[in-house]
Amino acid sequence: MAVSLTGTRVSAIALPWFVLATTGSATMTGLVAFVELTPYVLVKALTGPVVDRLGPRVVSWTADAVSAVVAGLVPLLHGLDLLPFWLLLIMVGVIGAARGPGDLAKEVMVPEAADRGRVPMERATGLSGVTERLASTAGPAVGGALVALLGPMAGLTVNAVAFALGSLVIALALPRGMGRAVAAHAAAALPLTEAAPSSEPAPGHRTGRVAEPGAPPPVGYWRMFREGFTFLRGDPLLLTIIVMVAVTNLLDAAFMTVLVPVWAQESGGGPAAIGLTGSVWGIAAVGGSLIAAAVAHRLPRRTVFFTGFLLCGAPRFLVLALGAPMGVVLAVFAVSGFGSGFLNPILGAVQFERVPRHLLGRVNALGDSLAWAGIPLGGLLGGAAVALVGLIPVLLVCGGLYFATTTLSGLRPEWREMDRKRRRGPEAVADTGSTPAERPAVTTGVGA
């Protein structure tokens, strides 16, 4: 996760700056983000049954390998002067489509890693959050420096190398047997005690098929998809989380892909300012995630969760709109990052507790995709709004919407479930037959 996410964060600075520098258009910059993230969301929504059927390990390294090849072609074709804008859009779309199932597969393996490490789920998701935040720290720093010194194509080259290395790590370095496919009878929602004694595929059979005589036939794709959708629809807390996070993710996408680059250009800070603010934010987020990993399982989740959103949301937009000096901007970004460090560890723990293991791929895919549904539109709408009314009004409106969304949604009664039925450690591993009180990997897009 650290390797592939770092490369993605580098690309998140290099690609928008490349488009902004070559076209001078905030709208075109937002279009590139839209073209990458739309297939990311759509393909991710549909590949949950595939991850469950083939196994997250296979899906992860295969998707990263495809991303590495396509990402490597971008600087190569640009160097040969064979990269028109329409072809760049196609290649960015392919990368987004491959990233979706690759990211999903890594998320699905987090609870298995927690079981093997015998740690509370909050700690496992906290460490996963630390990894993400470290990537969000190193990525902007490396990306800003590379773009400033060598140009944006250097950042895109690093992205391709990171995808390739991430693919090798997943394929070769994980413990043997980790990330295997869900057996067909588990996909049919049978408890583990009724499953066959081994989930290893027999010779001559595809992964996920059961070789024993009399075993039930493999479950079809659409039935697996429908099981995930039915489970998600029946959990009000997860649906409330998804709606709130979908709105904040849309605003974060506009902020990161358009508003910050335009602010950096208009203020004269350039790509170095983007990298500096992103790094300060990421360092503080790492600190918040480390504290969350250590003590979040002892804290009241709901209070910490909404306090974190209060710190990480509207202040970032307002400080840029007010034209504050760089020192004040960095201080606000530091406080914002610290608050954001508590969000995904708590979300991940709550959500992993609420989804049976045999449904993780399907429910994760749908939950993530719905929560990320607004992200492709964030850059597109942000760019159009800036072109229409200017940067400062857009920053003020987005900050106000962020505050209203996180404050008003917190009044709903479903949030009381956040602190109930907290399960600790691996004692709940075999709880695959539990009722709708278990999870999709809904994550905030803050800093993504």
Tab-separated table of all heavy atoms in Angstrom, residues 5 37 48 50 55 66 71 98 111 137 144 155 157 162 205 237 266-267 270 306 352 365 385:
chain	number	residue	atom	x	y	z
A	5	LEU	N	0.550	3.741	-3.187
A	5	LEU	CA	-0.095	5.001	-2.831
A	5	LEU	C	0.855	6.186	-2.983
A	5	LEU	O	0.437	7.273	-3.385
A	5	LEU	CB	-0.629	4.942	-1.406
A	5	LEU	CG	-1.882	4.088	-1.190
A	5	LEU	CD1	-2.217	4.009	0.287
A	5	LEU	CD2	-3.059	4.643	-1.970
A	37	LEU	N	-11.051	9.293	-12.615
A	37	LEU	CA	-11.785	8.812	-11.453
A	37	LEU	C	-13.132	8.183	-11.799
A	37	LEU	O	-13.631	7.350	-11.038
A	37	LEU	CB	-11.977	9.951	-10.454
A	37	LEU	CG	-10.676	10.417	-9.799
A	37	LEU	CD1	-10.897	11.677	-8.984
A	37	LEU	CD2	-10.096	9.313	-8.921
A	48	GLY	N	-16.346	-6.239	-7.141
A	48	GLY	CA	-16.401	-6.914	-5.852
A	48	GLY	C	-16.542	-8.419	-5.967
A	48	GLY	O	-15.761	-9.182	-5.363
A	50	VAL	N	-15.682	-10.270	-8.418
A	50	VAL	CA	-14.450	-10.783	-9.025
A	50	VAL	C	-13.354	-10.946	-7.982
A	50	VAL	O	-12.634	-11.948	-7.957
A	50	VAL	CB	-13.982	-9.843	-10.157
A	50	VAL	CG1	-12.671	-10.339	-10.760
A	50	VAL	CG2	-15.051	-9.732	-11.227
A	55	GLY	N	-9.823	-13.915	-5.636
A	55	GLY	CA	-8.931	-13.660	-4.514
A	55	GLY	C	-8.288	-12.289	-4.632
A	55	GLY	O	-7.850	-11.891	-5.722
A	66	VAL	N	-0.900	-3.789	-14.728
A	66	VAL	CA	-1.510	-3.070	-15.854
A	66	VAL	C	-1.295	-1.563	-15.704
A	66	VAL	O	-0.926	-0.867	-16.658
A	66	VAL	CB	-3.009	-3.402	-15.938
A	66	VAL	CG1	-3.701	-2.520	-16.971
A	66	VAL	CG2	-3.211	-4.871	-16.283
A	71	ALA	N	0.965	3.625	-17.218
A	71	ALA	CA	1.571	4.844	-16.664
A	71	ALA	C	2.960	5.075	-17.241
A	71	ALA	O	3.372	6.227	-17.454
A	71	ALA	CB	1.643	4.741	-15.141
A	98	ALA	N	-7.934	0.406	-13.795
A	98	ALA	CA	-7.121	-0.633	-13.157
A	98	ALA	C	-6.906	-0.362	-11.671
A	98	ALA	O	-6.840	-1.294	-10.862
A	98	ALA	CB	-5.763	-0.735	-13.871
A	111	PRO	N	-8.368	-6.742	7.096
A	111	PRO	CA	-8.808	-7.523	8.251
A	111	PRO	C	-8.100	-8.867	8.380
A	111	PRO	O	-7.894	-9.349	9.501
A	111	PRO	CB	-10.313	-7.696	8.018
A	111	PRO	CG	-10.514	-7.456	6.572
A	111	PRO	CD	-9.469	-6.456	6.178
A	137	THR	N	2.237	12.136	2.657
A	137	THR	CA	3.300	13.063	3.045
A	137	THR	C	4.455	13.009	2.061
A	137	THR	O	4.906	14.024	1.533
A	137	THR	CB	3.819	12.727	4.456
A	137	THR	OG1	2.718	12.750	5.362
A	137	THR	CG2	4.867	13.724	4.897
A	144	GLY	N	6.141	17.485	-5.715
A	144	GLY	CA	6.429	18.906	-5.866
A	144	GLY	C	7.872	19.164	-6.250
A	144	GLY	O	8.167	19.996	-7.117
A	155	GLY	N	7.583	13.001	-12.447
A	155	GLY	CA	6.649	12.497	-11.456
A	155	GLY	C	5.821	11.341	-11.985
A	155	GLY	O	5.563	10.363	-11.267
A	157	THR	N	6.763	9.231	-14.250
A	157	THR	CA	7.654	8.070	-14.331
A	157	THR	C	7.769	7.380	-12.978
A	157	THR	O	7.741	6.142	-12.882
A	157	THR	CB	9.045	8.508	-14.828
A	157	THR	OG1	8.920	9.124	-16.114
A	157	THR	CG2	9.981	7.318	-14.925
A	162	ALA	N	6.452	2.895	-9.183
A	162	ALA	CA	5.799	2.521	-7.928
A	162	ALA	C	4.736	1.446	-8.162
A	162	ALA	O	4.617	0.498	-7.377
A	162	ALA	CB	5.184	3.757	-7.272
A	205	HIS	N	-9.234	-27.460	-11.078
A	205	HIS	CA	-10.382	-26.606	-10.805
A	205	HIS	C	-9.940	-25.169	-10.679
A	205	HIS	O	-8.874	-24.900	-10.151
A	205	HIS	CB	-11.078	-27.042	-9.509
A	205	HIS	CG	-11.819	-28.342	-9.647
A	205	HIS	ND1	-13.173	-28.401	-9.836
A	205	HIS	CD2	-11.369	-29.628	-9.632
A	205	HIS	CE1	-13.558	-29.677	-9.919
A	205	HIS	NE2	-12.480	-30.429	-9.800
A	237	LEU	N	-26.619	2.609	9.323
A	237	LEU	CA	-25.417	3.342	9.690
A	237	LEU	C	-24.464	3.436	8.509
A	237	LEU	O	-23.903	4.503	8.223
A	237	LEU	CB	-24.728	2.689	10.884
A	237	LEU	CG	-23.382	3.309	11.289
A	237	LEU	CD1	-23.547	4.781	11.638
A	237	LEU	CD2	-22.765	2.536	12.450
A	266	GLU	N	-1.979	31.225	-8.781
A	266	GLU	CA	-2.333	32.639	-8.608
A	266	GLU	C	-1.525	33.310	-7.504
A	266	GLU	O	-1.250	34.516	-7.574
A	266	GLU	CB	-3.831	32.763	-8.314
A	266	GLU	CG	-4.716	32.378	-9.493
A	266	GLU	CD	-6.176	32.663	-9.224
A	266	GLU	OE1	-6.502	33.128	-8.098
A	266	GLU	OE2	-7.007	32.436	-10.129
A	267	SER	N	-1.136	32.555	-6.479
A	267	SER	CA	-0.361	33.135	-5.380
A	267	SER	C	1.128	33.208	-5.698
A	267	SER	O	1.885	33.843	-4.955
A	267	SER	CB	-0.565	32.311	-4.108
A	267	SER	OG	-0.014	31.013	-4.248
A	270	GLY	N	3.525	28.164	-6.965
A	270	GLY	CA	3.866	27.126	-7.911
A	270	GLY	C	3.750	25.728	-7.328
A	270	GLY	O	3.207	25.515	-6.237
A	306	PHE	N	-16.437	13.129	14.662
A	306	PHE	CA	-16.962	14.410	14.219
A	306	PHE	C	-16.039	15.566	14.591
A	306	PHE	O	-16.002	16.580	13.881
A	306	PHE	CB	-18.362	14.619	14.776
A	306	PHE	CG	-19.399	13.824	14.046
A	306	PHE	CD1	-19.920	12.668	14.600
A	306	PHE	CD2	-19.817	14.202	12.786
A	306	PHE	CE1	-20.861	11.920	13.917
A	306	PHE	CE2	-20.756	13.462	12.087
A	306	PHE	CZ	-21.281	12.310	12.656
A	352	PHE	N	-15.435	-2.587	9.077
A	352	PHE	CA	-14.976	-3.977	9.052
A	352	PHE	C	-15.749	-4.817	10.054
A	352	PHE	O	-15.895	-6.027	9.872
A	352	PHE	CB	-13.474	-4.067	9.344
A	352	PHE	CG	-12.605	-3.852	8.143
A	352	PHE	CD1	-11.599	-2.900	8.166
A	352	PHE	CD2	-12.773	-4.585	6.987
A	352	PHE	CE1	-10.780	-2.685	7.073
A	352	PHE	CE2	-11.963	-4.383	5.886
A	352	PHE	CZ	-10.977	-3.429	5.923
A	365	ALA	N	-16.716	-2.982	-2.389
A	365	ALA	CA	-16.752	-2.378	-3.719
A	365	ALA	C	-17.914	-1.410	-3.852
A	365	ALA	O	-17.758	-0.275	-4.333
A	365	ALA	CB	-16.841	-3.472	-4.778
A	385	ALA	N	-16.489	25.900	-12.028
A	385	ALA	CA	-16.889	26.976	-11.121
A	385	ALA	C	-15.831	28.066	-11.029
A	385	ALA	O	-16.141	29.262	-11.014
A	385	ALA	CB	-17.178	26.401	-9.736
